[in-house]
Amino acid sequence: MDSRQLDLLLAGLAGALVTYGGTRLLRRVAGEGVPTPPARDAKDMNGSIAALRSTTPHPHWTPPNPLPAPFSDKYHDVDPATTPSAVLYPLVISAIVPRPIAFISTLNAAGSVGNLAPYSYFNAVAHDPPTLAIGFCASSIRDHRRKDSLVNIVETGELVVNIISEWFVEAANHCCGNFDYGQNEFELSGLTPMPSVKVKAPRVRESAVQMECKVVHSYEVRNAAGAVSTTVILAQVVLMHVADGVADRTPAQKHIQYTSQPE
């Protein structure tokens, strides 16, 4: 597949994605049109944040009835070994969805330089103990090829992962800018730092869930030329802060019992 063919493939894939509250749904490609925003749940407790409710694309499906794919059996084969990195990146981030965003706050060893930035190569990989994986792609604007967040994490072994919600998504996205190392993204974005308990890096006040983390392992991904293209960090959550307004129930509507009182 040449780059033009892949560009067309990506354009079609991107057109199939619609976003509500950070969740991308493959709906247009199935011929269902653009979904309407899900209704707010009116039964939420006073003081909590209203939950979003939606249905599955095929709520009346029963096994083992088939669910045919809405496209032909023609596939494009993409060989990573012969496809440029600049082409692989949009393919990967368009294909692997939905994907959460890690809004990471860090501080250098001296405590003088902080950083706040979002990263989309992120997810939870365990819960006992809670463990997160974050991929930091090599920087194209730093001679040492490391993102500013990674520089601080390597120095201290600590970070805070703040979960992004729609009420501050614009400010979080502003932190994607190519700012000089040492510029304060909290000040640049207008977001509010809060002191952490078990790590030195601050957390984001506007985030409903903040996870103080310590690094337990790192792994360097190398490309065909032998250069480090990504550094994967495995971080153990040593303390979670959950806003009282979202701390009532699980997605399955089970009540959550916490051992501590709200701060």
Side-chain angles (χ1 to χ4, degrees):
M1 176 185 293
D2 60 31
S3 60
R4 180 180 176 278
Q5 290 174 315
L6 192 53
D7 286 342
L8 293 174
L9 174 63
L10 289 170
L13 185 58
L17 304 177
V18 292
T19 303
Y20 286 118
T23 301
R24 294 185 173 102
L25 303 174
L26 291 169
R27 297 287 287 274
R28 178 179 162 189
V29 75
E32 298 183 28
V34 178
T36 56
R40 295 281 182 176
D41 187 350
K43 297 181 180 179
D44 285 51
M45 300 293 289
N46 291 335
S48 67
I49 296 172
L52 290 172
R53 308 293 179 203
S54 62
T55 60
T56 62
H58 307 284
H60 303 298
W61 176 82
T62 57
N65 293 315
L67 286 173
F71 42 79
S72 71
D73 289 336
K74 180 181 178 181
Y75 286 83
H76 300 269
D77 295 329
V78 181
D79 185 350
T82 58
T83 305
S85 174
V87 178
L88 285 173
Y89 175 74
L91 175 60
V92 170
I93 66 171
S94 297
I96 303 174
V97 292
R99 196 171 64 256
I101 304 297
F103 198 31
I104 297 178
S105 46
T106 59
L107 199 62
N108 71 346
S112 57
V113 178
N115 190 260
L116 179 63
Y119 293 88
S120 68
Y121 285 162
F122 157 69
N123 219 317
V125 294
H127 68 276
D128 186 17
T131 305
L132 312 178
I134 309 105
F136 296 87
C137 296
S139 171
S140 60
I141 63 172
R142 301 283 190 260
D143 291 339
H144 50 61
R145 303 275 291 163
R146 285 179 172 175
K147 296 290 181 70
D148 296 344
S149 299
L150 182 59
V151 170
N152 290 347
I153 290 169
V154 170
E155 283 191 12
T156 66
E158 298 181 348
L159 63 153
V160 178
V161 174
N162 307 275
I163 300 302
I164 296 177
S165 293
E166 60 184 5
W167 52 82
F168 70 99
V169 67
E170 291 85 2
N173 186 63
H174 182 69
C175 295
C176 289
N178 291 327
F179 305 115
D180 290 337
Y181 182 66
Q183 285 191 277
N184 190 327
E185 283 90 356
F186 276 103
E187 293 180 357
L188 294 171
S189 64
L191 293 169
T192 312
M194 291 182 71
S196 295
V197 177
K198 294 190 175 184
V199 302
K200 293 181 179 179
R203 46 199 170 110
V204 177
R205 167 68 181 82
E206 289 78 4
S207 174
V209 180
Q210 309 138 0
M211 293 174 279
E212 299 184 26
C213 303
K214 293 191 176 182
V215 176
V216 293
H217 185 68
S218 65
Y219 174 77
E220 292 183 341
V221 178
R222 295 180 180 271
N223 59 22
V228 176
S229 59
T230 300
T231 300
V232 179
I233 294 292
L234 285 181
Q236 182 176 320
V237 179
V238 295
L239 190 62
M240 293 182 69
H241 306 271
V242 183
D244 191 48
V246 300
D248 187 27
R249 299 182 182 188
T250 70
Q253 295 303 293
K254 294 181 180 179
H255 286 279
I256 302 176
Q257 298 295 328
Y258 296 98
T259 57
S260 65
Q261 295 299 315
E263 298 173 21

